[in-house]
Structures are given as C-alpha cells and as structure tokens.
Amino acid sequence: MCVSKFRARSLLLPLIVAFGLTACGGDSASSGVVLTADGELGRKVARGNGCAACHGANGEGTVGPAFVGLYGSTVTFDDGSTTMADDAYLRESILEPSARRVEGFNLPMPENDLSDEQVEQLIAYIRDLSAPVSAP
C-alpha cells in the first residue's frame, strides 16, 4: 500500500509543478509591458522559433539570458569582456549565436534561419521588454 501511495505522489508531482508554472506565466500585457506592433510580431517570432524555450515564454529567462531588461544593459561574457546590449549586439547574438557566450550561461544557443525582418521584430520585442513600465 505504501509503495502505491508513493508512486501516485511521484506521478502527481510533475503535474502539479506544470500547472503551477502555467498559472504563473502571464502575458506581457498582464505585467504592464506594452508591446509595439513590431514587438508583438517579435514575441510571435520568439515563441514560434524556439527562442522562448530558453529565454522564457514572456522573456523572463530560464536557461538563457532574460529578454526582460536586457536592452541597454551591460552584458558580461565568459571571458570577462562586456558590451552594451544594443541593436548591433542583439543582431550579432541572434545571427551568430556562437560568437560570444554570456557569463553564467553554459548551453550554446542553436543556429537559426530567421529572416532579417524576423530578427528586427525580435529585437523590437526585446527592446519593448526593457522599456520602463509606467505605474497605473
């Protein structure tokens, strides 16, 4: 009897965790972030091309650097060098993901085949997620 209770609990735990993570994830709009038209398209690019798997469904970051607050910040690389996260850096990171690795993130970012337009939309999304949120 104890074994079956233990097994039932071990099977329920992943479901409870998954439900909790789903309930915590809201939409960008619910967090007060207002996306531009290009930012909204960039969000769709991120979700439809696997970016959200590492950078978070709403840009909050999981296994990859968070998109939220990234634009305009100082990025430190694993060799100790730094740069500002601007359009040029983001474009390089998206198009040449193995060029530099961000400190603290050991998994390599996979190559992608995003169009120039999709890259610009993704950058707009990251920029929007870094804009100051005005209080209601």
Side-chain angles (χ1 to χ4, degrees):
M1 185 82 156
C2 291
V3 173
S4 62
K5 282 183 181 179
F6 175 78
R7 182 178 164 103
R9 286 183 185 158
S10 66
L11 293 173
L12 272 176
L13 184 59
L15 292 172
I16 292 168
V17 170
F19 177 77
L21 290 174
T22 303
C24 291
D27 215 358
S28 297
S30 67
S31 64
V33 174
V34 177
L35 297 178
T36 60
D38 279 345
E40 181 60 36
L41 292 171
R43 180 172 70 118
K44 291 176 183 175
V45 169
R47 289 181 174 180
N49 289 280
C51 309
C54 294
H55 298 284
N58 294 307
E60 69 278 358
T62 52
V63 252
F67 288 163
V68 175
L70 176 60
Y71 194 88
S73 71
T74 300
V75 177
T76 303
F77 302 105
D78 60 359
D79 66 0
S81 64
T82 62
T83 194
M84 179 189 279
D86 57 9
D87 286 28
Y89 163 71
L90 294 172
R91 189 173 295 101
E92 175 193 58
S93 295
I94 294 165
L95 296 174
E96 300 175 47
S98 61
R100 299 188 269 182
R101 186 167 293 163
V102 175
E103 182 178 65
F105 296 96
N106 298 323
L107 293 176
M109 186 169 130
E111 299 290 327
N112 62 73
D113 60 352
L114 298 176
S115 70
D116 290 340
E117 183 178 32
Q118 289 173 311
V119 170
E120 292 305 316
Q121 292 165 345
L122 189 53
I123 291 171
Y125 176 52
I126 295 167
R127 189 181 310 116
D128 289 353
L129 290 177
S130 301
V133 177
S134 57

